[in-house]
Amino acid sequence: MFIGQIGSTAILAAGDSADSSGFSAGSLLIPAAGVVLLIVGLVLRNRSKTAPAATADSDKIPTETPTSGLPKHTGTIVAVAGVLVLALGLVAGLTKSGTITTKDPELAVGNCVTATDYRGAQIGKIKPTACEDNAAVYELAASVKNGATCPDGKLRDAGYFVLTNGNNSLCFAPNVKVGSCYSMQPDVNQIAPIDCAAKNGTAITVQIGGRFDGTTDTNQCAMPAGATVTPQPARVVCWQPVTPAS
C-alpha cells in the first residue's frame, strides 16, 4: 500500500547551531575604552588645574607644563568622551544581553509544527504552532538522543515522521483532520495540506477517512491495511487515496 511510505525514510536535519550565551570578549572593549578615556581625561584635567602659573616677568616661565602644550580644556573633553563611550558600550551590552535571553518558545512533546517549519527546520530551532492550525500537521510525540528509537521501537522505519541529525531525533505523529487532504511525495517522509481537487503532479493526494485517538486498533478504519498507528500518543489514522480528476 502507498501508505507504507509514511515513516519509511528518516530526514536528516542540519545539526543544531550553537547559541551564543553571555558577553563575548569583544563586547567588553567599548566600555573598557570608555574607562581609559575617562581616566586619562581626569588626569589631564587635574594636571591642568595644578600647573604652576607664569610670573609677570617675561623671562620666567613655568619649570613644568604638565599638559604638554595641549589646549586648556583637553582633559575635560577627553573625560566627557570617555563617559560617552562608556555609556555607549553599556547600552550596547544591555541590548545584546536582552537579545540573547529572548528566545523563541522551545518545542515540547505535545506541540505541533507546520509542514513548512518541518521541511526547513534545524533540530533545536523548530518553533511550535497551535495544533488547531490546519497547517500544523505534525505533533511532537518524542524527542530522543544517541540513536534511541521512537515510541514504536523504530527510528528509520518508524510509524512516525522523523527528523534526525544522528545525535538527536524528533518523532512526530500525524496531526491531521478527518476529511482533509494531504500531499505525499513518494519515498519522502513528509505531508502537506492540499486541496482535495487540486492537481498534485507526481505526488500522491491522500484523504483522511478517520482519526481515532486513545486507541491503536487499526480495525477502526474501513481499510485497516491503509492505517498508521502511533502508540504515543495512541492514535490511528485512516488514509485513503484520492482518485485524480480526469
Side-chain angles (χ1 to χ4, degrees):
M1 298 293 292
F2 67 93
I3 247 356
Q5 300 301 332
I6 296 179
S8 62
T9 306
I11 295 177
L12 295 178
D16 303 47
S17 47
D19 293 326
S20 59
S21 59
F23 293 102
S24 65
S27 65
L28 298 176
L29 293 178
I30 295 178
V35 171
V36 171
L37 287 174
L38 178 58
I39 293 173
V40 171
L42 292 175
V43 170
L44 291 175
R45 189 167 179 269
N46 186 57
R47 287 183 178 179
S48 176
K49 286 183 178 181
T50 58
T55 65
D57 298 332
S58 60
D59 59 340
K60 295 180 180 180
I61 59 173
T63 58
E64 183 181 4
T65 53
T67 55
S68 303
L70 294 174
K72 181 179 180 181
H73 299 295
T74 297
T76 301
I77 294 172
V78 174
V80 171
V83 171
L84 293 175
V85 172
L86 178 60
L88 178 63
L90 292 175
V91 169
L94 289 173
T95 302
K96 182 177 181 181
S97 177
T99 302
I100 290 171
T101 56
T102 302
K103 294 183 178 181
D104 291 331
E106 292 186 4
L107 188 67
V109 171
N111 290 159
C112 295
V113 302
T114 66
T116 300
D117 288 336
Y118 177 92
R119 269 197 309 270
Q122 293 179 328
I123 292 179
K125 297 291 186 180
I126 307 176
K127 63 181 181 180
T129 300
C131 292
E132 294 75 23
D133 191 325
N134 289 332
V137 296
Y138 303 100
E139 178 182 344
L140 184 60
S143 176
V144 298
K145 296 180 180 295
N146 301 323
T149 60
C150 292
D152 62 356
K154 301 177 181 180
L155 190 61
R156 176 168 294 277
D157 296 318
Y160 294 86
F161 296 94
V162 180
L163 283 175
T164 183
N165 63 8
N167 295 320
N168 302 281
S169 300
L170 301 178
C171 308
F172 292 92
N175 181 48
V176 291
K177 294 175 173 56
V178 176
S180 295
C181 289
Y182 300 87
S183 173
M184 183 184 300
Q185 292 286 347
D187 299 320
V188 177
N189 192 25
Q190 298 178 16
I191 55 173
I194 192 173
D195 187 288
C196 293
K199 293 183 178 180
N200 203 11
T202 59
I204 300 169
T205 298
V206 292
Q207 188 173 35
I208 307 305
R211 169 178 165 170
F212 303 93
D213 292 303
T215 182
T216 57
D217 183 8
T218 59
N219 289 320
Q220 303 276 357
C221 298
M223 296 187 300
T228 55
V229 179
T230 55
Q232 177 186 313
R235 179 174 301 161
V236 173
V237 175
C238 313
W239 310 77
Q240 56 193 37
V242 173
T243 303
S246 57

